[in-house]
Amino acid sequence: MASMTRRKTVNAVMMTLSTGAAGLGLFVLAVILIHLVAKGAGALNLAVFTQDTPSPMEAGGLRNAIVGSLVMSAIAVAIGTPIGILAGTYMAEYGRFSKLTKLIRFVNDILLSAPSIIVGLFVYQLLVVSLGHFSALAGAVALAILVIPIVVRTTEDMLLLVPDQLREAGLAMGAPRWVVIRTIAYKAARAGMVTGVLLAIARISGETAPLLFTALSNNFFSLNLTQPMASLPITIFQFALSPYDNWQALAWAGALLITVAVLALSIIARLVTSRKEKA
């Protein structure tokens, strides 16, 4: 009887602490979002999307930064996604128990937890120093390195969840192994793999440190991948530290845009996953 009472007491205490911690986290998140919306919504207007970053105390927008972020993120995803999917496929389908897979998984875990500034310094030494100047391409490569480990992990985990009986059925019908992977394993794991790509995009959309050492920034609109290019994270960083009211307002607007984009990607990822579970 005493033991049961003690268990109930411990359970009640732990439930209270857990609920309080969750409530505190949600409260802090709500305060941040409310403050961000209050500051950023007032600065959002058509000029933000149609005009480039202005000089101090002049009207302007974030067009060059928005386009620059989209361009570098798109290139990063285009580079990192195929590499991540192929590596995850090898680890789950071909080398599941090999020593090479263990080594790849170990290195991948390191990349997942490595500070992004380290990646920026690596690409700086690899591309910026060797080429002699900052460039959007170097920024895209730095972001691609951040994309790869996320896609590798999600691809491997999703493929490992596919029952081996499905693969065996395809092989028993005479289909080559690569056909079985493409038509059966990928199809079964598609929702999780897409979710991994979306999470990778959400991860790189707000990265500042890698771009500081690679793409730098540009006050003008540019699509030249061999030259510095503006991006939202760098622009927010620079404008938020400035003493000028118009720059600070644009920084709040940019922060709101990134937050909305990340939340939208998270919602899409959850919808994709829930639709797969219902199917």
Side-chain angles (χ1 to χ4, degrees):
M1 189 67 180
S3 177
M4 182 177 297
T5 303
R6 180 179 177 277
R7 287 200 300 269
K8 289 182 178 180
T9 303
V10 172
N11 179 70
V13 171
M14 296 306 297
M15 284 294 294
T16 302
L17 292 176
S18 300
T19 304
L24 179 61
L26 291 175
F27 173 76
V28 173
L29 178 60
V31 170
I32 293 174
L33 290 177
I34 292 172
H35 188 68
L36 181 60
V37 171
K39 290 283 189 176
L44 280 179
N45 51 55
L46 186 60
V48 171
F49 302 96
T50 59
Q51 298 181 20
D52 296 334
T53 49
S55 300
M57 305 312 296
E58 292 185 3
L62 297 170
R63 184 187 65 156
N64 55 332
I66 294 173
V67 173
S69 289
L70 291 175
V71 169
M72 287 187 283
S73 296
I75 296 174
V77 173
I79 295 173
T81 299
I83 296 174
I85 290 177
L86 290 175
T89 300
Y90 170 79
M91 295 166 65
E93 300 291 339
Y94 291 101
R96 187 176 298 185
F97 305 105
S98 68
K99 293 182 179 180
L100 179 59
T101 294
K102 295 180 180 179
L103 176 61
I104 295 174
R105 189 179 294 116
F106 175 73
V107 174
N108 193 71
D109 290 342
I110 293 176
L111 287 175
L112 274 173
S113 58
S116 59
I117 193 171
I118 302 299
V119 176
L121 286 171
F122 169 74
V123 178
Y124 172 82
Q125 187 65 36
L126 181 68
L127 293 179
V128 177
V129 173
S130 60
L131 294 177
H133 58 82
F134 298 94
S135 66
L137 184 60
V141 171
L143 295 180
I145 294 176
L146 298 175
V147 169
I148 291 173
I150 300 174
V151 178
V152 170
R153 170 54 64 88
T154 54
T155 299
E156 181 193 11
D157 289 346
M158 292 303 104
L159 289 176
L160 289 176
L161 292 176
V162 178
D164 288 335
Q165 290 81 354
L166 294 178
R167 299 180 179 88
E168 294 169 357
L171 294 171
M173 296 179 66
R177 190 167 187 178
W178 68 270
V179 173
V180 172
I181 295 173
R182 181 173 61 86
T183 59
I184 297 177
Y186 278 174
K187 187 175 181 179
R190 180 172 54 194
M193 294 167 64
V194 171
T195 300
V197 175
L198 293 175
L199 292 176
I201 297 173
R203 161 76 192 278
I204 65 174
S205 62
E207 285 292 345
T208 305
L211 299 180
L212 277 173
F213 292 96
T214 53
L216 198 60
S217 188
N218 194 335
N219 291 329
F220 304 98
F221 185 86
S222 174
L223 294 177
N224 189 347
L225 298 180
T226 62
Q227 296 299 321
M229 183 177 289
S231 62
L232 272 177
I234 299 296
T235 302
I236 293 170
F237 173 74
Q238 293 174 339
F239 282 13
L241 296 179
S242 72
Y244 307 110
D245 292 338
N246 65 322
W247 280 15
Q248 292 179 4
L250 287 174
W252 282 110
L256 180 59
L257 290 177
I258 290 180
T259 303
V260 170
V262 171
L263 289 176
L265 288 172
S266 300
I267 293 173
I268 293 172
R270 288 183 176 274
L271 290 176
V272 171
T273 305
S274 62
R275 184 175 301 177
K276 175 63 179 177
E277 291 176 351
K278 291 179 180 179

